[in-house]
Amino acid sequence: MPTSLPHALVTGASSGIGADIAREYARRGKPLVLTARRAERLEALAAELSAQVPCVVLAADLADPAAPAALFAQTQARGLFVDTLVNNAGFGVPGRYLSVDWKTHADSIQVLMTAVAHLTHLYLPAMEAAGRGRILNVASLAGLVPSSAGHTLYGASKAWLIRFSETLDQESRSRGVYVTALCPGMTYTEFHDVNGMRDKVSKLPKGIWLTSAEVARLGVDAVESGRARIVTGRSNKLIAGLSKYLPDRLARALLAAKAKDFRDAD
């Protein structure tokens, strides 16, 4: 068992919700392991937060199937005890399923699902052995509402992540480890710039948006208090509730009518 101070490992920490989760944990005095593809951004974030907490930067691309084991090996070699795992890394793939090459879809599955399951399998045993731990999985409102055309794998992967989180929480909380699915809706980050949807989503009502700092704070509060799932924002909670209680056919029709405002199905 590593003997260092307990650290929080945050994937996708170079921007957006991941960076703000790192900031939130730093504010609470939690040492950090920051990982993402963009090493220069991680170094900048570490420089920002190092006055508050120790920060370790380990650049990695989770689209590489070997990356989770390599990350684990590096933290083990440094003697770091990771008692908090934040699975935040991810990206959306716009367009119809057949309009995108398989390599891109495979990378999406690897980052959004396989790497999450693998990292959890690697870090959870030490948490259970110590009798304490937290796993925060950044899912999405998209995993709780009916499917619509476009971004075919994203909602499906987030629905899987929510169920995975809830099941794992039931298995592990008696051993002192809490697992939370964080389900934000529209959030001010680079996500929509990367997937080319910024122009469309910018037309959505301002009232449904939250900042990534707000989402981060709510997510960390939820996992630290042992909540298995949190939907952020009143509007998103309303949408999730309506999706649950409306007849499936009506819910799908309503979402399909609005999907062009936030999804590219071409």
Side-chain angles (χ1 to χ4, degrees), residues 12 33-34 56-57 100 121 127 133 136 149 157 164-165 171 174 203 235 237-238 243 259:
V33 180
L34 306 173
V56 176
V57 170
V100 178
H121 199 266
M127 296 182 197
L136 178 60
S157 67
F164 172 70
S165 302
E171 293 177 358
S174 64
K203 299 174 184 177
S235 297
K237 290 176 182 176
L238 177 61
S243 298

Side-chain angles (χ1 to χ4, degrees), residues 192-214:
H192 299 291
D193 299 306
V194 173
N195 69 17
M197 293 296 294
R198 174 60 59 195
D199 288 344
K200 281 190 175 183
V201 299
S202 294
K203 299 174 184 177
L204 294 171
K206 301 298 184 185
I208 69 172
W209 292 83
L210 292 180
T211 67
S212 59
E214 290 173 310

Side-chain angles (χ1 to χ4, degrees), residues 68-79:
L71 272 175
F72 181 71
Q74 289 178 78
T75 55
Q76 290 292 101
R78 291 169 180 254

Side-chain angles (χ1 to χ4, degrees), residues 16-48:
I17 294 172
D20 278 319
I21 288 174
R23 292 185 178 101
E24 184 63 26
Y25 269 118
R27 189 181 67 80
R28 300 176 190 218
K30 186 82 169 179
L32 295 165
V33 180
L34 306 173
T35 186
R37 292 180 298 111
R38 297 176 290 188
E40 69 285 352
R41 288 205 177 190
L42 294 177
E43 294 290 355
L45 181 61
E48 172 192 334

Side-chain angles (χ1 to χ4, degrees), residues 1 81 83 124-133 175:
M1 172 76 69
F81 173 37
D83 77 334
L124 180 57
M127 296 182 197
E128 290 194 350
R132 68 182 191 277
R175 296 171 172 85

Side-chain angles (χ1 to χ4, degrees), residues 92-101 104-105 148-154 195-197 200 259 262-266:
V93 180
R96 293 181 65 246
Y97 185 63
L98 292 181
S99 70
V100 178
D101 64 275
T104 301
H105 285 317
S148 59
H151 295 66
T152 320
L153 291 175
Y154 188 77
N195 69 17
M197 293 296 294
K200 281 190 175 183
F262 57 88
R263 283 193 173 177
D264 180 5
D266 294 330

